[in-house]
Amino acid sequence: MSAAGVAQEHGHEQEHAQGAHGHHEQSFIQKYVFSTDHKMIGKQFLFTTLLMLMLGGALALGVRWQLAFPWTSMPIFGPLFANAGGQISPEFYTMLFTMHATVMIFLVIIPVLAGAFGNFLIPLMIGADDMAFPVLNMLSYWFMIPAIACFGMSFYFGGAASGWTSYAVLADLRAAAPGSGSAQTMWLMGVTFVGVSSMMGSVNYMTTIINMRAPGMTLFRMPLTIWAMLITAILQAFALPVLTAAGFMQLFDRLAFGGWLEGIHTVFFIPAGLVVNNTDPTVGGGQPLLWQHLFWFYSHPAVYIMLLPAMGMTSDMLACMCRKPIFGYKPMVYSMSAIAGLGFIVWGHHMFTSGMNPALGMTFMVSTVMIALPSAVKVFNWIGTIWGGRLQFNTVTLHCIAFVSMFIVGGLSGIFMAAVPVDIYIHDTYIIVAHFHYVVFGTTMFGVFGAIQFWFPKMFGRKMNETVGKWHFLLTYIGFNGAFFPMHMLGIAGFPRRYADPYVHPYLEHLLPLNQFITISAMIMGFAQFLLLGNFLISIFRGEKTGRNPWNSNGLEWAAPSPPGHGNFDVPPVCFRGPYEYSNPNRANQDFWMQTDPTRNPKNPPEAPAHGHS
Amino acid sequence: MRKFWCAFFVFWPIVAIIYSIVASMTPSLGWWFPGASVTELGQRIDNLFYLILYIVTAVFIGTQIALVYVLWRASHSKDERAWFSHGSHSLEVIWSVVPSVILLFLALYQMDVWALFRVQAYFPKEARDAPIAEVTARQFEWRIRYPAPGKKLQLKPQPDDLYDVNDLHAPINRAVMIQLRSGDVQHSFFLPHLRVKQDAIPGQIIPIWFKAEKQGIFELTCAELCGWGHYKMRAQLTSEREVEYEAYLKKLQADQNYDGHATPSAVAKKDE
Ligand code: HEM
Ligand SMILES: [Cu+2]
Ligand SMILES: [Cu+2]
């Protein structure tokens, strides 16, 4: 046993000598712009998505302003609008919520998880020096730029206004939404570019995780973050082509070519005989519901693409903060896989009232209800992880706990809408809006905020400010719940989503004060994000300097320098155990046991202290 | 600080529960259903909602208490080390099996209400046999076509059909069926007080039925984004006694047949 240990130690030393990386000088452009280094690409994604978060938030406040103070001029942003008096017109309102969701989903949540954290963490956590295909990786970031440009042009042309779901026929027929002509087309192009970007990332992540793990990093020694990234990449690879194809179909439905190209005009989603806005009746034989099926076949798995990586990261952070192994590591892996598998057969729950065959409603109800099970198992395991831990309330911990607490709400509200008869009433009301904000913001974004502060030292070699971090958390948490919990009640009261002025309906008039409360909460939450942004930017230059392993954590990434240089590890890492050996009683003088620590004899303290004391 | 944060995380669920209780117990606030359902099927939907609500509330309280309890213990731990445990097989089995039984029960328990609402074979016979009107959603209004009194609704418009806009009349205490269609884009036929919602899909005719048990005027709104004017597709369902309903159809017929050369008595009658 100990002989083996010595041999290992020996090998380690040898590798150390080889590990000194050959340095080749890089130009500024190579290093910061067209970088092929996964860490730089991750940071590029992170900066871009944080910027987009602020933009998406501003759009949301526009929506909220109109619901709280209908038809009054909005401060700050109002004067920017072309509309007289800064008033939000119904067309503009429709554009606002469409672009809000588009920016948040396609330019914030999906790229911040897979793009920023997937890129930064995957090679570091599995002990690789970079991604399998660095150039492809670089392209996956640079394909976001035309996507952003397309969405920007969409704004310029008046804004897409068919919701982020872009339902046919509204999104298919130019006449159906006057002014959306080129805007909707640009929107589709933007989504396609995002899809290409995600696909390039996804191929890269799968290859890297499967092929480039450090010696000893078996599948069941992978941190849950890596499992989540792998499962997400698989989900994306299988679901995304459907959306891309559907996007092109809708694009061809919209394009009205002339001349010899006229034959290209398709009618995939357009039935015959529709008279839209007094134009000629449509000719066709298409089926609008086909769009919904194709869209949700991607977009339901996509909601898990928006969640699983955050689940993985929170699991890792929570174990470290509680100084305790994750409770039920394998059940966590299996439940994530179950979520991914079931995620492919539940898309119809978005279409219960759509007019599809009612027998499908029943099957989709059963599968949807069952997907709540792995979600519940994960919640129980997170609570189990905290149970018996030794925990300190720092910013990271707070965000992890918020993650669990908010996910309980979002998961439970899902059950109401999974029950078809109940969904008849609540579909397309504000309770749906409450549900998905509890999962996408309350869960994913709190996880991301925690992850930013947790891995910040690895990214920049410094820590973010704790006090500012706690204020940001406090205000965001209060603002978030103030804004989104009452939305459940709006939904029960029958308040439909996507209404520019709900108060023209007498049964909704009395809900104005509640909406004002919601808007004020949302503003608190919105302004709190400046604390995050400021803390983030200032800490890059002013934050307290940290060593390699400031959190006394176990993962391979903490064995690399902070920030890791080109090629990541000065000592090529070897993995000796799973990532959750916290508080192992066989370890004498520390309550963590790094995956790279070669100590074999459990009763003895490590001969040479492993890197890690900060 | 440890106490503060534990209190913080228990405070929010308590506020949420109190708020929900207040909202559900105080109809005057209007933060709950817009009144009891006017249809029996709607009441059954509400009952299913309450069944889920009770189960979900119990789970919510249980998990939030568990969360704050383990938080309190973990943050006040005096032990030098955390409890070294990788999990528990039996706990995993318990907390997988128990929820799955509850969830499966919930799903199966919903089936017959759904079948009644949506599967045509389960519609009441009186509704299935004689649809009272065809409702066509358009940007941004509801067009209603009734068959002439004493006739049956035909798929193709008939010369003697009667038309109205944004005002759907239906007799009370009778199961009535409507043929729902769309003239342009997608819409959704939403009667909040009846708990009825059905999308109108271009190119498709979708039957819906309801049996209002209360007289009155109930809002009809659109619940599927259909363009910039989505919010203003305001219409109503007038639920009235059979005689009033017949009178309404008669009046529609008279108005429609009015040729502009009415006798003075008819004009006088109109002015009343
Ligand atoms: C416990 C598991 C969950 C269940 C049973 C569930 C169920 C549902 C159902 C039935 C709907 C459709 C409701 C309707 O439109 O009438 C829905 C909508 C939605 N869910 Fe979930 N959900 C769950 C978890 C999640 C998670 C984890 C996410 C995201 C991270 C998510 C994101 C969404 C989004 C974005 C929508 C609305 C999409 C739209 O219409 O714009 N859900 N959910
Ligand atoms: Cu879904
Ligand atoms: Cu509408």
Side-chain angles (χ1 to χ4, degrees), chain B residues 164-178:
Chain B
D164 203 345
V165 178
N166 289 341
D167 188 11
L168 172 66
H169 284 244
I172 58 163
N173 294 329
R174 189 169 110 198
V176 295
M177 190 164 105
I178 308 264

Side-chain angles (χ1 to χ4, degrees), chain A residues 586-590 597 599-609:
Chain A
N586 292 331
R587 283 285 274 180
N589 53 3
Q590 10 173 272
D597 186 338
T599 324
R600 276 295 168 88
N601 189 336
K603 289 290 176 199
N604 285 345
E607 290 94 85

Side-chain angles (χ1 to χ4, degrees), chain A residues 29 60 89 126 192 241 291 293 304 409 463 492 506 510 547 554 592 598:
Chain A
I29 300 261
S89 66
I126 64 173
T192 307
W291 167 265
H293 282 292
Y304 290 105
V409 183
K463 261 191 176 179
I492 298 171
H510 65 283
N554 287 341
F592 65 108

Side-chain angles (χ1 to χ4, degrees), chain A residues 381 390 425 427 499 505 510, chain B residues 30 79 81 92 197 222 231:
Chain A
N381 278 309
R390 283 181 71 243
Y425 177 64
H427 172 69
Y499 267 26
H505 300 274
H510 65 283
Chain B
D79 304 333
R81 291 260 169 120
E92 301 288 347
K197 187 180 289 134
C222 178
Y231 71 100

